[in-house]
Amino acid sequence: DAGVYSKAWYAATCDRKMAEDALYRSNKDGSFLVRKSSGQDSQQPYTLVVFYNKRVYNIPIRFIESTRQYALGREKSGEERFDSVAEIVENHQRTSLVLIDSQNNTKDSTKLKHIVRVS
């Protein structure tokens, strides 16, 4: 278990559009939630959705079968791995998360500050 079910930031029944709409409404840098990934893929079970600088970022949360751990984004060498999704969130409430905009090739960073609830 990824440690998501009892968490305020976990939006169990939320799809991508609902998540993005909720974050745009919050309009606060560092607003975030975690939702199930659209693909329902065991390798990428969740998505971290973050609002920053008037944009919404959907960051895949990967499950690494070999170590039973979780990591953010595409696989890279030296990446941070966590034992649960909750640990990823807790870590990035303290340390900045790098946000990569692949369309504009820009990088930003923010901490996870404001939990957004989807109604």
Side-chain angles (χ1 to χ4, degrees), residues 48 61 70-72 82 84-92 112:
L48 173 62
I61 299 175
Y70 294 87
L72 288 173
F82 300 90
S84 68
V85 175
E87 275 185 33
I88 292 176
V89 171
E90 286 155 20
N91 178 65
H92 289 299
L112 301 178

Side-chain angles (χ1 to χ4, degrees), residues 1-10 12 36 46:
D1 176 6
V4 296
Y5 294 107
S6 60
K7 302 297 189 210
W9 41 254
Y10 180 57
K36 278 194 173 122
Y46 303 104

